[in-house]
Amino acid sequence: MSFFDELGQYLSSANNREQIVDTLAEHCYLALLPLVLGIVLAILVGWLGNTWPRARGVILVVSNLVYTVPSLALFVVIPSLIGTKMLDSINVVVALTLYTAALLVRPVLDALDAVPPAVIASATAMGYRPARRFLTVELPLAVPVLAAGVRVASVSNISLVSVGALIGVGGLGVLFTDGFQREYFSPIVVGIALTLVLALVVDLLLVLLRRVLTPWDRAAAPVKEEVPA
C-alpha cells in the first residue's frame, strides 16, 4: 500500500476525522489564548520598563532567563507552582503565556522607544495623563513595530503547543505521539500539515489586524506619479 493510499484510509475513518478536529480546536485554544494573555502582560511590563528606566535592565534579564527555560521542564514544574493536575491544560496556557510575554518584552520596549518624543510632549501639553496618553497615543503608534514581534510569538506558540503532548496535553502534538508510538506516519503528516496551515492563517490574520489598527500607515503611503513621456 502506497503512502497516499494509507493517508486516504486514515482520513476516511470518522473517528480519525473527529480526533483531528478535536485536536485542532485544542491546539488553537492552547496557542492563541496564551498569545493574547502574553501580549497584555508584555505591554504592562514594557510600560513599566519604559516609565522607570532603572527597571529596564532587570526586566530584560528576567525575560531572557524565562525564555531560556526548556518548555517541557516548565510544563512539568508549573503544576507544583500553581497547584494544578499534571494533565490540566492550564499548565500549558500558563507556560506559553510566560514564554510569549518574555519574547515580547523587548519588542514592546523597542516599539515604545520608536514613538516620537515630540508626539508624547504634544499629548502631555494637551492635558493627557500618563495612563490615557499611553493607551491612546503611545501604544497605537507602537503597533507597527510591535506587530512584527507578535507574529514571531504566534508562530512560536503554535509550534511549542505540540511539546505538551509529551505530558498528555498538546493539541495536534497528540497526532505526532500517536503516530510515533504506532509507527503510523499518516497522523504525523496530518499534524505537521495542519500546524503549518494554522501558523500561516494566524500570521495572515495578524497582518490584516495590523493594517486595520494602523490606517495612517496606508494613508501615508507615497503615491507614485506618472512621468510623462
Side-chain angles (χ1 to χ4, degrees):
M1 180 183 295
S2 69
F3 168 74
F4 291 104
D5 292 334
E6 182 182 285
L7 181 62
Q9 184 178 8
Y10 172 76
L11 294 175
S12 66
S13 170
N15 290 334
N16 290 338
R17 292 197 301 270
E18 183 179 358
Q19 182 191 29
I20 291 171
V21 172
D22 290 343
T23 54
L24 178 59
E26 183 184 36
H27 204 103
C28 292
Y29 163 73
L30 293 175
L32 300 183
L33 178 59
L35 179 64
V36 174
L37 296 177
I39 291 172
V40 174
L41 182 58
I43 289 174
L44 293 175
V45 174
W47 173 80
L48 180 66
N50 187 256
T51 305
W52 288 283
R54 291 185 179 180
R56 187 186 185 106
V58 176
I59 288 172
L60 289 174
V61 170
V62 172
S63 64
N64 288 337
L65 289 176
V66 170
Y67 199 72
T68 57
V69 176
S71 57
L72 183 58
L74 196 56
F75 292 157
V76 173
V77 169
I78 281 180
S80 62
L81 297 179
I82 63 177
T84 55
K85 296 180 180 179
M86 180 63 72
L87 298 181
D88 198 330
S89 62
I90 193 66
N91 300 325
V92 177
V93 172
V94 172
L96 292 185
T97 297
L98 292 176
Y99 277 129
T100 301
L103 181 62
L104 289 179
V105 163
R106 183 178 291 276
V108 169
L109 289 170
D110 292 341
L112 293 176
D113 289 342
V115 178
V119 174
I120 299 175
S122 298
T124 303
M126 293 174 63
Y128 280 66
R129 295 184 179 275
R132 182 189 176 194
R133 186 188 65 208
F134 176 75
L135 293 174
T136 61
V137 178
E138 296 177 55
L139 187 57
L141 290 177
V143 167
V145 177
L146 179 58
V150 173
R151 292 174 65 186
V152 173
S154 69
V155 174
S156 175
N157 272 15
I158 291 171
S159 62
L160 284 175
V161 166
S162 299
V163 180
L166 297 176
I167 61 170
V169 184
L172 293 171
V174 173
L175 300 179
F176 302 154
T177 56
D178 180 49
F180 280 122
Q181 289 171 356
R182 296 191 295 159
E183 296 185 357
Y184 189 24
F185 293 107
S186 293
I188 298 175
V189 172
V190 171
I192 292 173
L194 289 178
T195 301
L196 293 174
V197 170
L198 179 60
L200 178 61
V201 170
V202 171
D203 187 65
L204 291 175
L205 290 176
L206 288 174
V207 171
L208 178 61
L209 180 62
R210 187 255 191 200
R211 289 176 59 84
V212 171
L213 293 177
T214 57
W216 57 86
D217 273 6
R218 299 194 302 274
V223 179
K224 294 183 179 180
E225 295 182 0
E226 293 186 3
V227 179

